[in-house]
Amino acid sequence: MTRVEEFEELRPLLFSIAYRILGSVSEAEDAVQETWLRYEVSPTRPTSTKAFLSATVTRVSIDVLRSARVRRENYVGEWLPEPLLTDPYEDPERSAELADSVSMAALLLLERLSPLERAVFVLREVFAFGFPEVASAVGRSETACRQLAVRARRHMDAGRPRFEADRREREELAARFFEALREGDVACLRELLAADVSLVGDGGGKAPQLARAIIGADPVVRLLTSYFPVLVRIDVTLEPHEVNGRPGAVFRDRDDKVLNTWTLDVLDGRIQTIRSVMNPDKLAHLGPVADAWSLSREANRARRLTE
């Protein structure tokens, strides 16, 4: 097998490691490309290509994350991970861990960890690497990595909800929610939303965004039932789609360009959080991106005509 063939076989794993460390599709893809460049010029073939490439992409991702954290501190508005529609790496024996670790909620919890804690957690808890491999990847002793793993796991466990819905329940509830949204069924929407539901938007200063999170079932319902019909009038469509391993949707304009994505967090039989990503920089990997500012102006005109 050639180096190219070996690398391409492992590319899904490398991307999935990088994405969980970085929370960014574009940065993960760059990290994978940098990993290939380093592998291509390596004078010797490693004993284990998987171990070598996994360690390399981890180190690259840690370096990228350290600089990215400074940018995120100065981010305009709420920062959310870049939406991922499909995780390219599959492992039937760890499907639950893989799905949970790629959710928006989990990625936001990972943001609280140091870059080293985050990398150790991803390699050990998500992908089940042995501590010798983890230590080699992050350049620390096995003892230090065990301590990093304990701290990371403690932080993650403390932030996770205790009773999260299973996949089928999430999908059924999401289907009912999107149907109620299309029908403008206020009573059904209130029934499906948690009392303290939050609607969070990420425009990054490059697209219309909420000035702050909207909290509470009644305010969220009022916003949704006033906002969604206007989108329909200007030919924006809602396409239910799994996003980051959770129920969600992709919104598209009349030219099929991506406007934004939603992800839904379900807890105790209710939708707890709706996260909307509209920053065009975070949507480019999904295809051509709509002009959100132009659509916002068109929506405002349509709303005034009906008042």
Side-chain angles (χ1 to χ4, degrees):
M1 187 180 290
T2 67
R3 286 199 182 199
V4 172
E5 290 170 335
E6 286 181 320
F7 184 83
E8 289 303 321
E9 185 176 271
L10 290 165
R11 181 187 288 273
L13 171 63
L14 302 179
F15 172 85
S16 293
I17 291 172
Y19 177 75
R20 285 164 174 79
I21 294 175
L22 294 166
S24 165
V25 173
S26 55
E27 289 172 346
E29 289 174 342
D30 288 345
V32 171
Q33 181 61 25
E34 176 63 24
T35 298
W36 161 250
L37 294 175
R38 296 186 186 188
Y39 181 47
E40 185 182 30
V41 299
S42 176
T44 59
R45 297 287 284 268
T47 303
S48 169
T49 304
K50 177 182 175 182
F52 175 84
L53 293 177
S54 298
T56 303
V57 81
T58 298
R59 295 189 199 109
V60 172
S61 297
I62 289 172
D63 289 342
V64 173
L65 182 60
R66 285 174 173 148
S67 61
R69 286 166 78 92
V70 176
R71 296 193 301 275
R72 291 173 192 179
E73 288 174 359
N74 300 317
Y75 194 78
V76 177
E78 187 81 17
W79 182 91
L80 295 175
E82 289 186 12
L84 182 69
L85 301 190
T86 304
D87 186 357
Y89 179 72
E90 296 180 359
D91 181 350
E93 294 184 0
R94 303 193 63 78
S95 58
E97 292 90 341
L98 290 170
D100 288 344
S101 65
V102 82
S103 71
M104 286 273 183
L107 291 172
L108 288 170
L109 283 176
L110 284 169
E111 282 290 305
R112 303 178 186 180
L113 306 182
S114 71
L116 279 178
E117 287 173 339
R118 186 165 181 165
V120 168
F121 182 87
V122 168
L123 292 176
R124 176 63 183 171
E125 301 297 326
V126 180
F127 294 97
F129 279 61
F131 277 111
E133 296 171 295
V134 175
S136 174
V138 302
R140 295 292 188 274
S141 69
E142 287 186 45
T143 300
C145 288
R146 290 179 188 276
Q147 294 171 344
L148 287 165
V150 168
R151 288 204 301 269
R153 190 161 51 243
R154 185 185 303 125
H155 284 301
M156 294 296 288
D157 289 344
R160 283 194 177 112
R162 291 186 61 191
F163 303 105
E164 192 174 5
D166 62 28
R167 184 186 184 98
R168 181 175 178 180
E169 183 183 353
R170 290 195 302 259
E171 291 174 350
E172 291 177 350
L173 194 148
R176 292 172 59 199
F177 171 75
F178 289 129
E179 181 62 25
L181 185 60
R182 291 189 183 96
E183 298 294 328
D185 190 335
V186 172
C188 185
L189 287 171
R190 283 204 182 98
E191 178 189 343
L192 296 172
L193 298 177
D196 59 347
V197 64
S198 62
L199 173 58
V200 182
D202 176 351
K206 298 183 178 183
Q209 65 188 58
L210 299 170
R212 56 181 175 77
I214 308 298
I215 307 294
D218 286 341
V220 170
V221 168
R222 282 197 297 271
L223 179 63
L224 293 179
T225 53
S226 62
Y227 173 73
F228 187 73
V230 176
L231 291 182
V232 172
R233 283 197 289 273
I234 62 171
D235 302 320
V236 170
T237 57
L238 179 156
E239 171 191 320
H241 201 295
E242 184 173 272
V243 180
N244 286 80
R246 293 294 184 268
V250 178
F251 288 78
R252 298 180 184 275
D253 70 5
R254 60 174 62 92
D255 297 318
D256 205 37
K257 294 180 179 179
V258 179
L259 174 61
N260 71 319
T261 63
W262 276 5
T263 54
L264 310 179
D265 284 350
V266 177
L267 182 65
D268 296 334
R270 298 286 187 274
I271 294 171
Q272 190 70 42
T273 310
I274 304 170
R275 294 187 175 92
S276 170
V277 177
M278 192 175 278
N279 183 340
D281 294 345
K282 295 185 176 184
L283 301 173
H285 63 284
L286 302 180
V289 180
D291 184 341
W293 292 111
S294 176
L295 286 171
S296 178
R297 291 190 293 270
E298 187 177 352
N300 287 333
R301 288 195 296 269
R303 180 180 287 113
R304 285 195 296 270
L305 290 174
T306 60
E307 291 176 348

